[in-house]
């Protein structure tokens, strides 16, 4: 048995030659926008249709309905994302069945971008820190589901699937997805 001392050495090399790379399984970086009633400070589900377009990226979210939050990507290169929140009703469509949006709100989310690396063998990611928001909303008279205010809940945008920004709505004239005009 000339090789009996060789087996422990081979075993030592075998266990140290392979490294355990702990890459994140969920390497998608998105931020979460949640919806709240401003009067009760409680979560709500959208009683109308929402589509979200980005100034430089096109449609990010198409026809959300009856949801309490949506997850959106953030620009890797720009220091702000300009989003157009388009609101309409489910039963209001054109001849082709496409939703007719009645109003559009503009939400600007300012942020800082920074690279993130877990390990050399893992893909790189871009994390963000939300630094501010600016809202240009529609008047209540145009569409009764209006945004009262915007609040940053968690400014860090990373692999965590958590609430980042909260939209507070004035929902006093909205019930069960229809407005006072019967639309």
């Amino acid at each position: 048995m000339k090789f009996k001392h060789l087996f422990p050495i081979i075993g030592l090399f075998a266990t140290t030659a392979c490294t355990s790379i702990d890459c994140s399984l969920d390497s998608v970086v998105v931020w979460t926008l949640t919806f709240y009633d401003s009067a009760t400070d409680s979560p709500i589900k959208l009683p109308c249709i929402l589509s979200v377009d980005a100034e430089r990226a096109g449609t990010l979210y198409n026809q959300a309905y009856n949801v309490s939050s949506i997850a959106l990507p953030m620009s890797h290169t720009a220091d702000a994302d300009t989003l157009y929140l388009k609101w309409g009703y489910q039963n209001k469509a054109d001849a082709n069945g496409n939703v007719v949006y009645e109003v559009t709100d503009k939400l600007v989310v300012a942020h800082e971008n920074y690279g993130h690396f877990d390990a050399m063998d893992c893909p790189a990611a871009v994390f963000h820190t939300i630094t501010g928001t600016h809202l240009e909303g529609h008047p209540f008279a145009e569409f009764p589901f209006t945004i009262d205010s915007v609040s940053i809940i968690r400014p860090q945008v990373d692999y965590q699937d958590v609430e980042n920004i909260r939209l507070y709505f004035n929902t006093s004239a909205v019930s069960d997805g229809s407005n006072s005009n019967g639309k």
Side-chain angles (χ1 to χ4, degrees), residues 36-99:
Y36 275 71
D37 185 312
S38 61
T40 64
D41 196 28
S42 57
I44 60 170
K45 290 188 176 186
L46 293 179
C48 52
I49 301 279
L50 167 67
S51 287
V52 180
D53 291 344
E55 194 164 83
R56 291 184 280 267
T59 301
L60 299 180
Y61 208 94
N62 194 23
Q63 298 187 10
Y65 176 72
N66 203 29
V67 296
S68 56
S69 67
I70 59 174
L72 299 168
M74 199 165 259
S75 172
H76 293 106
T77 56
D79 59 357
D81 289 331
T82 302
L83 305 175
Y84 298 96
L85 310 173
K86 302 184 312 184
W87 304 98
Y89 284 110
Q90 189 172 18
N91 59 351
K92 184 112 178 196
D94 64 13
N96 296 325
N98 299 316
V99 172

Side-chain angles (χ1 to χ4, degrees), residues 73-140:
M74 199 165 259
S75 172
H76 293 106
T77 56
D79 59 357
D81 289 331
T82 302
L83 305 175
Y84 298 96
L85 310 173
K86 302 184 312 184
W87 304 98
Y89 284 110
Q90 189 172 18
N91 59 351
K92 184 112 178 196
D94 64 13
N96 296 325
N98 299 316
V99 172
V100 175
Y101 293 99
E102 301 195 20
V103 295
T104 300
D105 295 332
K106 181 178 173 181
L107 175 65
V108 178
V109 179
H111 54 87
E112 296 173 350
N113 309 312
Y114 54 96
H116 173 78
F117 301 96
D118 287 327
M120 291 301 288
D121 293 335
C122 299
V126 177
F127 286 180
H128 315 276
T129 301
I130 299 171
T131 58
T133 61
H134 173 73
L135 175 70
E136 294 176 18
H138 65 273
F140 187 79

Side-chain angles (χ1 to χ4, degrees), residues 29 31 121 139 154 158 173:
V29 177
W31 62 283
D121 293 335
R154 182 178 185 265
D158 50 28

